[in-house]
Protein backbone atom coordinates (compact mmCIF):
# COMPACT_ATOMS: atom_id res chain seq x y z
CA UNK A 1 0.00 0.00 0.00
CA UNK A 2 1.26 3.52 -0.80
CA UNK A 3 2.15 5.69 2.17
CA UNK A 4 -0.65 7.97 3.39
CA UNK A 5 0.07 11.64 4.08
CA UNK A 6 -3.45 13.01 4.60
CA UNK A 7 -5.89 12.54 7.45
CA UNK A 8 -9.55 13.50 7.69
CA UNK A 9 -11.28 13.56 11.09
CA UNK A 10 -15.08 13.66 11.13
CA UNK A 11 -17.06 15.37 13.89
CA UNK A 12 -20.72 14.53 13.25
CA UNK A 13 -22.41 16.88 15.74
CA UNK A 14 -24.43 19.98 14.92
CA UNK A 15 -26.67 22.23 16.96
CA UNK A 16 -29.34 21.86 14.31
CA UNK A 17 -29.57 19.83 11.11
CA UNK A 18 -30.12 22.29 8.26
CA UNK A 19 -32.88 21.23 5.91
CA UNK A 20 -30.67 20.89 2.82
CA UNK A 21 -27.90 18.90 4.53
CA UNK A 22 -27.14 15.30 3.65
CA UNK A 23 -23.81 15.06 5.46
CA UNK A 24 -23.36 12.60 8.29
CA UNK A 25 -24.50 15.12 10.91
CA UNK A 26 -26.73 14.82 13.98
CA UNK A 27 -28.38 17.35 16.25
CA UNK A 28 -29.05 17.10 19.97
CA UNK A 29 -26.36 14.50 20.53
CA UNK A 30 -23.77 16.88 21.96
CA UNK A 31 -23.79 14.89 25.21
CA UNK A 32 -21.96 12.18 23.29
CA UNK A 33 -19.03 14.43 22.41
CA UNK A 34 -16.66 13.43 25.26
CA UNK A 35 -17.08 9.70 24.55
CA UNK A 36 -16.80 10.39 20.82
CA UNK A 37 -13.48 12.22 21.28
CA UNK A 38 -12.15 9.25 23.30
CA UNK A 39 -13.21 6.85 20.54
CA UNK A 40 -11.81 9.03 17.77
CA UNK A 41 -8.49 9.44 19.62
CA UNK A 42 -8.34 5.65 19.95
CA UNK A 43 -9.07 5.14 16.24
CA UNK A 44 -6.33 7.61 15.22
CA UNK A 45 -3.86 5.86 17.51
CA UNK A 46 -4.70 2.39 16.19
CA UNK A 47 -4.51 3.56 12.57
CA UNK A 48 -1.12 5.13 13.27
CA UNK A 49 0.16 1.72 14.39
CA UNK A 50 -1.53 -0.40 11.71
CA UNK A 51 -1.15 1.63 8.52
CA UNK A 52 1.77 3.14 6.56
CA UNK A 53 0.87 6.70 7.49
CA UNK A 54 2.80 9.92 8.06
CA UNK A 55 4.38 12.32 8.18
CA UNK A 56 1.10 14.07 7.53
CA UNK A 57 1.06 16.89 4.96
CA UNK A 58 -2.60 17.67 5.52
CA UNK A 59 -5.15 17.20 8.29
CA UNK A 60 -8.78 18.26 7.92
CA UNK A 61 -11.15 18.32 10.89
CA UNK A 62 -14.57 18.47 9.24
CA UNK A 63 -18.18 17.77 10.01
CA UNK A 64 -20.79 18.31 11.17
CA UNK A 65 -19.56 21.19 13.24
CA UNK A 66 -16.06 20.64 14.69
CA UNK A 67 -16.17 24.12 16.21
CA UNK A 68 -18.64 22.70 18.78
CA UNK A 69 -15.66 20.93 20.36
CA UNK A 70 -13.91 22.63 23.24
CA UNK A 71 -10.39 23.76 22.45
CA UNK A 72 -9.20 21.11 24.91
CA UNK A 73 -10.95 18.41 22.83
CA UNK A 74 -9.31 19.74 19.64
CA UNK A 75 -5.96 19.70 21.46
CA UNK A 76 -6.50 16.04 22.43
CA UNK A 77 -7.14 15.08 18.82
CA UNK A 78 -4.11 17.07 17.69
CA UNK A 79 -1.96 15.29 20.30
CA UNK A 80 -2.82 12.01 18.60
CA UNK A 81 -2.12 13.54 15.20
CA UNK A 82 1.30 14.69 16.44
CA UNK A 83 2.09 11.11 17.48
CA UNK A 84 1.62 10.02 13.85
CA UNK A 85 3.89 12.91 12.85
CA UNK A 86 3.41 16.11 10.91
CA UNK A 87 5.48 17.22 7.93
CA UNK A 88 7.02 20.70 8.18
CA UNK A 89 4.44 23.25 7.03
CA UNK A 90 1.56 20.77 7.21
CA UNK A 91 -1.84 22.26 6.43
CA UNK A 92 -4.27 21.72 9.32
CA UNK A 93 -7.83 22.84 8.67
CA UNK A 94 -10.77 23.06 11.04
CA UNK A 95 -14.32 23.72 9.86
CA UNK A 96 -16.20 26.24 11.96
CA UNK A 97 -19.68 27.66 12.19
CA UNK A 98 -19.60 31.47 12.43
CA UNK A 99 -21.29 31.49 15.86
CA UNK A 100 -18.38 29.53 17.36
CA UNK A 101 -15.60 31.76 16.05
CA UNK A 102 -14.76 33.68 19.24
CA UNK A 103 -11.31 35.08 20.01
CA UNK A 104 -10.90 32.41 22.75
CA UNK A 105 -11.62 29.62 20.28
CA UNK A 106 -9.37 31.17 17.64
CA UNK A 107 -6.54 31.35 20.14
CA UNK A 108 -7.10 27.74 21.28
CA UNK A 109 -7.27 26.40 17.72
CA UNK A 110 -4.04 28.17 16.75
CA UNK A 111 -2.30 26.89 19.88
CA UNK A 112 -3.35 23.31 18.97
CA UNK A 113 -1.66 23.71 15.59
CA UNK A 114 -4.71 24.42 13.41
CA UNK A 115 -3.50 26.86 10.74
CA UNK A 116 -6.40 27.02 8.29
CA UNK A 117 -9.97 27.90 9.19
CA UNK A 118 -12.91 27.06 6.95
CA UNK A 119 -15.95 29.10 7.95
CA UNK A 120 -19.45 28.00 6.92
CA UNK A 121 -20.77 31.40 5.91
CA UNK A 122 -23.19 30.00 3.28
CA UNK A 123 -24.95 33.35 2.79
CA UNK A 124 -25.34 36.77 4.34
CA UNK A 125 -28.85 37.89 3.48
CA UNK A 126 -31.42 37.32 6.25
CA UNK A 127 -33.84 35.59 3.83
CA UNK A 128 -31.14 33.22 2.58
CA UNK A 129 -29.99 32.29 6.07
CA UNK A 130 -33.57 31.77 7.22
CA UNK A 131 -34.29 29.58 4.21
CA UNK A 132 -31.13 27.53 4.83
CA UNK A 133 -32.00 27.30 8.54
CA UNK A 134 -28.61 28.60 9.52
CA UNK A 135 -28.45 29.80 13.10
CA UNK A 136 -26.12 32.75 12.49
CA UNK A 137 -26.78 36.18 10.99
CA UNK A 138 -24.89 37.77 8.12
CA UNK A 139 -23.12 40.12 10.51
CA UNK A 140 -22.13 37.13 12.71
CA UNK A 141 -20.52 35.54 9.65
CA UNK A 142 -18.54 38.64 8.68
CA UNK A 143 -17.54 39.16 12.32
CA UNK A 144 -16.33 35.53 12.42
CA UNK A 145 -14.07 36.07 9.39
CA UNK A 146 -12.70 39.27 10.95
CA UNK A 147 -12.18 37.62 14.36
CA UNK A 148 -10.29 34.72 12.76
CA UNK A 149 -8.06 37.12 10.87
CA UNK A 150 -7.46 39.45 13.80
CA UNK A 151 -6.72 36.45 16.02
CA UNK A 152 -3.91 35.27 13.75
CA UNK A 153 -5.35 33.04 11.00
CA UNK A 154 -3.76 33.94 7.67
CA UNK A 155 -5.39 31.12 5.69
CA UNK A 156 -9.17 31.41 5.84
CA UNK A 157 -11.81 29.87 3.62
CA UNK A 158 -15.43 30.93 3.37
CA UNK A 159 -17.99 28.39 2.18
CA UNK A 160 -20.86 29.95 0.24
CA UNK A 161 -24.00 28.61 -1.41
CA UNK A 162 -25.49 30.07 -4.57
CA UNK A 163 -28.81 29.30 -6.22
CA UNK A 164 -30.68 29.78 -2.94
CA UNK A 165 -34.40 30.39 -3.59
CA UNK A 166 -35.22 34.08 -3.22
CA UNK A 167 -31.63 35.29 -3.68
CA UNK A 168 -31.25 37.16 -6.96
CA UNK A 169 -28.01 37.82 -8.83
CA UNK A 170 -27.53 41.29 -7.29
CA UNK A 171 -27.96 39.90 -3.75
CA UNK A 172 -25.54 37.06 -4.43
CA UNK A 173 -22.90 39.49 -5.72
CA UNK A 174 -23.39 41.71 -2.65
CA UNK A 175 -22.73 38.66 -0.48
CA UNK A 176 -19.60 37.86 -2.41
CA UNK A 177 -18.40 41.45 -2.17
CA UNK A 178 -18.82 41.51 1.62
CA UNK A 179 -16.97 38.20 2.06
CA UNK A 180 -14.09 39.42 -0.13
CA UNK A 181 -13.91 42.64 1.87
CA UNK A 182 -13.44 40.53 5.03
CA UNK A 183 -10.14 39.32 3.52
CA UNK A 184 -10.45 35.58 2.84
CA UNK A 185 -7.66 33.72 1.02
CA UNK A 186 -9.94 30.95 -0.28
CA UNK A 187 -13.54 30.73 -1.31
CA UNK A 188 -15.72 27.70 -2.05
CA UNK A 189 -19.03 28.40 -3.81
CA UNK A 190 -21.35 25.42 -4.12
CA UNK A 191 -24.66 25.27 -5.90
CA UNK A 192 -27.48 24.54 -3.46
CA UNK A 193 -28.33 21.02 -4.57
CA UNK A 194 -31.51 19.25 -3.62
CA UNK A 195 -30.79 15.84 -2.10
CA UNK A 196 -33.85 13.61 -2.12
CA UNK A 197 -33.60 12.40 1.48
CA UNK A 198 -33.42 15.87 3.02
CA UNK A 199 -36.31 18.01 4.19
CA UNK A 200 -35.53 20.40 1.32
CA UNK A 201 -35.86 17.43 -1.04
CA UNK A 202 -39.32 16.78 0.33
CA UNK A 203 -40.35 20.43 0.07
CA UNK A 204 -39.21 20.60 -3.55
CA UNK A 205 -40.97 17.31 -4.38
CA UNK A 206 -44.26 18.50 -2.93
CA UNK A 207 -44.00 21.83 -4.74
CA UNK A 208 -43.65 23.87 -1.54
CA UNK A 209 -40.31 25.31 -2.66
CA UNK A 210 -39.58 26.23 -6.27
CA UNK A 211 -35.85 26.06 -6.97
CA UNK A 212 -34.17 28.55 -9.33
CA UNK A 213 -33.73 27.28 -12.87
CA UNK A 214 -30.40 26.17 -14.36
CA UNK A 215 -29.96 29.48 -16.19
CA UNK A 216 -30.27 31.46 -12.97
CA UNK A 217 -27.87 29.17 -11.13
CA UNK A 218 -25.31 29.32 -13.93
CA UNK A 219 -25.61 33.11 -14.13
CA UNK A 220 -24.73 33.31 -10.42
CA UNK A 221 -21.86 30.86 -10.83
CA UNK A 222 -20.23 32.65 -13.76
CA UNK A 223 -20.79 36.09 -12.23
CA UNK A 224 -18.93 34.89 -9.13
CA UNK A 225 -16.14 33.40 -11.26
CA UNK A 226 -15.66 36.70 -13.08
CA UNK A 227 -15.76 38.75 -9.90
CA UNK A 228 -13.24 36.50 -8.15
CA UNK A 229 -10.89 36.52 -11.11
CA UNK A 230 -10.94 40.33 -11.10
CA UNK A 231 -9.67 40.22 -7.50
CA UNK A 232 -6.82 37.83 -8.32
CA UNK A 233 -8.40 34.58 -7.12
CA UNK A 234 -7.39 31.54 -9.13
CA UNK A 235 -10.23 29.27 -10.19
CA UNK A 236 -8.50 25.96 -9.56
CA UNK A 237 -11.43 23.56 -9.12
CA UNK A 238 -15.01 23.80 -10.32
CA UNK A 239 -16.30 25.19 -7.00
CA UNK A 240 -13.07 26.52 -5.50
CA UNK A 241 -11.03 29.71 -5.82
CA UNK A 242 -7.92 30.85 -3.97
CA UNK A 243 -5.32 33.56 -3.89
CA UNK A 244 -2.03 32.21 -5.31
CA UNK A 245 -0.52 29.64 -2.94
CA UNK A 246 -3.72 29.12 -0.92
CA UNK A 247 -5.40 26.22 -2.76
CA UNK A 248 -6.70 23.68 -0.22
CA UNK A 249 -3.92 21.09 -0.14
CA UNK A 250 -6.12 18.56 1.63
CA UNK A 251 -8.83 18.61 -1.02
CA UNK A 252 -6.18 18.51 -3.75
CA UNK A 253 -5.16 15.11 -2.39
CA UNK A 254 -8.61 13.73 -3.23
CA UNK A 255 -8.81 15.45 -6.63
CA UNK A 256 -5.32 14.23 -7.54
CA UNK A 257 -6.33 10.73 -6.48
CA UNK A 258 -3.77 10.38 -3.72
CA UNK A 259 -4.51 8.25 -0.65
CA UNK A 260 -6.03 9.53 2.57
CA UNK A 261 -7.26 8.10 5.84
CA UNK A 262 -10.63 9.10 7.28
CA UNK A 263 -11.35 8.57 10.98
CA UNK A 264 -14.65 9.15 12.76
CA UNK A 265 -18.28 8.20 12.22
CA UNK A 266 -19.06 7.60 8.55
CA UNK A 267 -15.58 8.72 7.44
CA UNK A 268 -14.26 7.34 4.14
CA UNK A 269 -10.67 6.34 3.37
CA UNK A 270 -8.93 5.75 0.06
CA UNK A 271 -5.80 3.62 -0.17
CA UNK A 272 -3.69 3.01 -3.27
CA UNK A 273 -2.07 -0.35 -3.76
CA UNK A 274 1.21 -0.82 -5.61
CA UNK A 275 -0.60 -2.72 -8.41
CA UNK A 276 -2.57 0.56 -9.05
CA UNK A 277 -5.79 -0.83 -7.62
CA UNK A 278 -7.67 1.26 -5.07
CA UNK A 279 -9.24 0.26 -1.80
CA UNK A 280 -12.09 2.33 -0.41
CA UNK A 281 -13.21 1.86 3.19
CA UNK A 282 -15.97 3.49 5.15
CA UNK A 283 -16.75 3.64 8.83
CA UNK A 284 -19.95 2.97 10.77
CA UNK A 285 -22.17 6.03 10.32
CA UNK A 286 -24.10 6.39 13.58
CA UNK A 287 -22.18 8.15 16.37
CA UNK A 288 -23.33 5.78 19.12
CA UNK A 289 -22.46 2.63 17.21
CA UNK A 290 -19.18 4.23 16.16
CA UNK A 291 -18.26 5.06 19.76
CA UNK A 292 -19.02 1.52 20.86
CA UNK A 293 -17.00 -0.13 18.12
CA UNK A 294 -14.03 2.25 18.01
CA UNK A 295 -13.71 2.32 21.81
CA UNK A 296 -13.68 -1.46 21.97
CA UNK A 297 -11.40 -2.29 19.06
CA UNK A 298 -9.74 0.91 17.83
CA UNK A 299 -11.43 0.78 14.45
CA UNK A 300 -14.98 1.06 13.12
CA UNK A 301 -14.85 -0.08 9.50
CA UNK A 302 -18.34 -0.87 8.19
CA UNK A 303 -17.37 -1.91 4.65
CA UNK A 304 -14.80 -1.74 1.87
CA UNK A 305 -14.41 -2.31 -1.83
CA UNK A 306 -11.45 -2.79 -4.13
CA UNK A 307 -11.39 -1.16 -7.52
CA UNK A 308 -9.37 -2.83 -10.29
CA UNK A 309 -6.48 -0.79 -11.77
CA UNK A 310 -8.67 0.01 -14.81
CA UNK A 311 -11.62 1.13 -12.72
CA UNK A 312 -9.30 3.13 -10.45
CA UNK A 313 -7.86 4.94 -13.47
CA UNK A 314 -11.39 5.80 -14.60
CA UNK A 315 -12.19 7.13 -11.17
CA UNK A 316 -8.97 9.17 -11.13
CA UNK A 317 -9.99 10.73 -14.47
CA UNK A 318 -13.55 11.36 -13.27
CA UNK A 319 -12.32 13.19 -10.15
CA UNK A 320 -9.21 14.77 -11.67
CA UNK A 321 -11.09 16.46 -14.48
CA UNK A 322 -12.63 18.77 -11.86
CA UNK A 323 -9.24 20.53 -11.60
CA UNK A 324 -9.27 23.40 -14.04
CA UNK A 325 -5.55 23.10 -14.87
CA UNK A 326 -6.44 19.71 -16.30
CA UNK A 327 -5.53 16.11 -15.61
CA UNK A 328 -3.36 13.50 -17.23
CA UNK A 329 -5.51 10.70 -15.81
CA UNK A 330 -7.76 10.81 -18.89
CA UNK A 331 -4.97 9.73 -21.23
CA UNK A 332 -5.90 6.09 -20.77
CA UNK A 333 -9.32 6.76 -22.36
CA UNK A 334 -8.70 7.84 -25.98
CA UNK A 335 -12.24 7.04 -27.17
CA UNK A 336 -14.04 9.03 -24.46
CA UNK A 337 -11.47 11.77 -24.70
CA UNK A 338 -11.96 12.25 -28.44
CA UNK A 339 -15.71 12.14 -28.09
CA UNK A 340 -15.73 14.75 -25.30
CA UNK A 341 -13.31 17.01 -27.20
CA UNK A 342 -15.54 16.79 -30.31
CA UNK A 343 -18.57 17.61 -28.16
CA UNK A 344 -16.80 20.79 -26.98
CA UNK A 345 -16.68 19.67 -23.35
CA UNK A 346 -12.94 19.03 -23.08
CA UNK A 347 -9.91 20.73 -24.59
CA UNK A 348 -6.55 19.01 -25.04
CA UNK A 349 -3.22 20.58 -24.11
CA UNK A 350 -0.32 18.21 -24.66
CA UNK A 351 -0.91 15.36 -22.22
CA UNK A 352 -3.57 17.19 -20.24
CA UNK A 353 -7.28 17.50 -20.81
CA UNK A 354 -9.20 20.43 -19.39
CA UNK A 355 -12.86 21.23 -19.07
CA UNK A 356 -14.14 23.91 -21.43
CA UNK A 357 -16.68 26.46 -20.18
CA UNK A 358 -19.51 24.19 -21.32
CA UNK A 359 -17.65 21.22 -19.83
CA UNK A 360 -17.60 22.94 -16.43
CA UNK A 361 -21.39 23.30 -16.63
CA UNK A 362 -21.75 19.60 -17.44
CA UNK A 363 -18.86 18.35 -15.32
CA UNK A 364 -20.75 15.45 -13.75
CA UNK A 365 -21.60 13.98 -17.14
CA UNK A 366 -18.03 14.54 -18.38
CA UNK A 367 -16.59 12.76 -15.35
CA UNK A 368 -19.04 9.88 -15.58
CA UNK A 369 -17.88 9.15 -19.13
CA UNK A 370 -14.58 7.83 -17.73
CA UNK A 371 -16.24 5.28 -15.46
CA UNK A 372 -16.20 2.36 -17.85
S1 LIG B 1 -24.20 23.01 10.01
FE1 LIG B 1 -23.35 22.05 8.15
S2 LIG B 1 -23.08 19.88 8.64
FE2 LIG B 1 -24.42 20.77 10.23
S3 LIG B 1 -26.46 20.35 9.49
FE3 LIG B 1 -25.97 22.42 8.76
S4 LIG B 1 -25.08 22.07 6.71
FE4 LIG B 1 -25.10 20.07 7.76
Amino acid sequence: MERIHSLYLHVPFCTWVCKYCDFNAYAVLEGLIPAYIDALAREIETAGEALPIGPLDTVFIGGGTPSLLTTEQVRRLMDRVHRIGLAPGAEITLEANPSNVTSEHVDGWLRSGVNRLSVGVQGLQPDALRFLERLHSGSDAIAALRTARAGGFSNINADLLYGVPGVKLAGWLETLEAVLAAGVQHLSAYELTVESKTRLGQEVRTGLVPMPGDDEQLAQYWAAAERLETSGYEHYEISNWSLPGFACRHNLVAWQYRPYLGCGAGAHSMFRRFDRSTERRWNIKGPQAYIKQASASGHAVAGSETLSPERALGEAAMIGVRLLDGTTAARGFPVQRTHLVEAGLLAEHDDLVRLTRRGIELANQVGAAFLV
Side-chain angles (χ1 to χ4, degrees):
M1 181 189 288
E2 282 181 17
R3 205 158 181 84
I4 301 157
H5 297 284
S6 287
L7 174 66
Y8 173 78
L9 303 178
H10 190 71
V11 178
F13 306 104
C14 289
T15 308
W16 172 258
V17 174
C18 311
K19 71 176 174 191
Y20 61 92
C21 178
D22 81 332
F23 298 135
N24 192 32
Y26 304 83
V28 210
L29 289 180
E30 283 106 317
L32 290 180
I33 293 179
Y36 186 85
I37 296 299
D38 288 346
L40 185 52
R42 173 102 204 268
E43 191 194 2
I44 299 167
E45 190 168 6
T46 310
E49 289 159 3
L51 292 168
I53 183 166
L56 293 167
D57 287 324
T58 73
V59 178
F60 196 106
I61 309 175
T65 309
S67 54
L68 285 178
L69 303 185
T70 64
T71 51
E72 172 56 21
Q73 287 164 336
V74 174
R75 198 193 55 72
R76 272 200 65 207
L77 295 178
M78 286 304 299
D79 277 352
R80 288 297 192 281
V81 167
H82 274 285
R83 286 191 209 171
I84 290 178
L86 284 168
E91 174 195 273
I92 301 165
T93 304
L94 181 127
E95 281 186 334
N97 259 5
S99 332
N100 306 128
V101 185
T102 60
S103 27
E104 292 73 28
H105 266 138
V106 164
D107 190 49
W109 294 330
L110 285 166
R111 280 175 196 274
S112 316
V114 174
N115 54 22
R116 182 173 184 273
L117 199 67
S118 178
V119 183
V121 173
Q122 313 311 351
L124 294 180
Q125 296 189 317
D127 285 353
L129 292 167
R130 210 172 300 120
F131 178 85
L132 296 168
E133 301 182 340
R134 303 294 299 198
L135 302 178
H136 60 268
S137 66
S139 51
D140 289 342
I142 294 299
L145 297 173
R146 295 214 169 108
T147 302
R149 197 170 160 201
F153 274 101
S154 53
N155 191 354
I156 302 171
N157 168 58
D159 273 345
L160 290 178
L161 287 169
Y162 65 91
V164 176
V167 179
K168 299 291 167 211
L169 182 60
W172 162 242
L173 287 174
E174 271 171 34
T175 295
L176 196 60
E177 217 56 64
V179 169
L180 290 179
V184 295
Q185 288 73 32
H186 190 284
L187 204 135
S188 303
Y190 298 104
E191 178 186 325
L192 175 63
T193 47
V194 181
E195 304 294 343
S196 59
K197 287 188 184 147
T198 60
R199 283 181 289 123
L200 177 60
Q202 201 176 2
E203 290 177 1
V204 170
R205 253 194 323 278
T206 55
L208 197 64
V209 171
M211 290 297 290
D214 287 351
D215 288 352
E216 205 175 336
Q217 302 226 3
L218 285 173
Q220 294 192 8
Y221 175 81
W222 288 117
E226 274 163 36
R227 176 65 192 85
L228 287 162
E229 197 180 330
T230 310
S231 291
Y233 288 77
E234 293 169 350
H235 192 181
Y236 71 98
E237 194 269 348
I238 293 173
S239 307
N240 287 278
W241 290 260
S242 77
L243 292 177
F246 287 94
C248 176
R249 285 159 49 196
H250 184 82
N251 288 340
L252 279 172
V253 166
W255 293 318
Q256 292 170 347
Y257 211 62
R258 290 184 276 141
Y260 55 87
L261 172 70
C263 293
H268 284 235
S269 302
M270 190 273 250
F271 305 137
R272 296 284 280 146
R273 303 209 173 274
F274 291 119
D275 67 358
R276 313 310 296 155
S277 65
T278 290
E279 183 187 343
R280 291 196 171 275
R281 282 187 201 170
W282 50 93
N283 275 355
I284 295 168
K285 271 184 100 173
Q288 273 138 324
Y290 168 83
I291 291 169
K292 200 168 164 209
Q293 179 67 28
S295 308
S297 65
H299 67 81
V301 177
S304 67
E305 65 175 342
T306 301
L307 308 182
S308 67
E310 298 70 35
R311 181 85 180 168
L313 186 62
E315 201 181 62
M318 178 184 77
I319 298 169
V321 84
R322 298 187 61 88
L323 291 169
L324 299 196
D325 273 352
T327 176
T328 55
R331 71 185 150 197
F333 301 90
V335 176
Q336 291 90 329
R337 198 174 148 152
T338 307
H339 172 72
L340 291 164
V341 168
E342 284 171 3
L345 300 174
L346 285 181
E348 291 182 297
H349 297 267
D350 302 323
D351 234 11
L352 292 167
V353 290
R354 285 185 200 151
L355 290 170
T356 60
R357 186 178 170 104
R358 186 66 185 141
I360 290 175
E361 295 174 354
L362 297 172
N364 289 344
Q365 287 98 305
V366 174
F370 295 109
L371 275 192
V372 285

